[in-house]
Amino acid sequence: MATRRNVLVMGVAAATALALAACGATADKNEGGSSNDGKPVTGLRIMVPNTPGGGYDTTARTAAKVMEDAKIATGVQVFNLPGAGGTVGLQRTVNEKGNGKLAMQMGLGVVGASYTSKSAATLTQTTPLAKMIEEAGAIVVPKDSPYKTINDLVAAWKANPKGIAVGGGSSPGGPDHLLPMQLAKTVGIDPRQVNFVSYDGGGELLPAVLGGKVAFGASGFGEFLDQVEAGQIRVLAVTSEAPIEALKDVPTLKSSGIDLVFTNWRGIVAPPGISDADKKVWIDVLTKMHESEEWKAELKKRGWTDAFVTGDEFGTFLTEQDKAVADVLKQLGLA
């Protein structure tokens, strides 16, 4: 039987006021400059459109640290502007037209949320900079869960779809929503019967899983590595084609008899209307970061798959993802 693959490379107050102020501020003319002058670039800001601790947040802060450590850029500011599955941040990015110092960390979740939240702003309005990584999903349970294997969980889920709550760190349309929907469909559960509980990023999903508010969680495995190592969370299965090096003893869905492969992705975009020079600075900085030994070490440490493409190539990918997500959401009656 052919492998069932997602049509997607799956890759959702005072603090807000502070974040908005950070967005709106602009750098001095002497900041940034050319990334080819041998000096670290300055004045760059990366917005994370969901809460601290999630996949976007981890990716952005890791990238900023690598830029600093490799002396590619200095003083990179990372800040959070959560809300509506990432579309509050998306709207702010679109509103910041021409701001060449700002970029937004994003991924599949923002693509889906732009539909389910009926956002006026869309990713097609932004300036694509780079697709950075891909990451397998994981099905996770707290350490004291009665489900010891993925097949234990699936059996209970099929017997009572509405009674088994699944949590995800994205809004409907995001990867943490599409993963359990695709999994349900694969094992013979009507996706419309799935009791999905949405959290704004992995930082909110984690305590829900640990506290038993949901029976299991579906998210990127990298968001739970610390808790897995600490014995607080068990991973029942990963959604990659082959086992993950960081979780060598965890089976894939395929090896457990479930014919599904699912991969999330993350990238970075800038506001519309930025200058060619500012776009080049960002792409040069991200390219140097990608080529650094520090970034390669982080990829290995976090189990991320290198998926680096920039500019127009990333823009084409975004357009394809936008259509694919819209098609899936229409099938689920969500768009």
Side-chain angles (χ1 to χ4, degrees), residues 27 31-32 41-45 74-76 101-102:
E31 289 186 329
V41 175
T42 60
L44 302 181
R45 299 176 176 89
T74 60
V76 180
K101 301 301 180 185
L102 175 68

Side-chain angles (χ1 to χ4, degrees), residues 140-148 209-210 227 230-234:
V140 302
V141 295
K143 63 179 180 180
D144 56 354
S145 169
Y147 310 118
K148 305 303 181 186
V209 173
L210 291 173
Q227 287 73 33
Q232 297 175 305
I233 277 181
R234 288 187 287 112

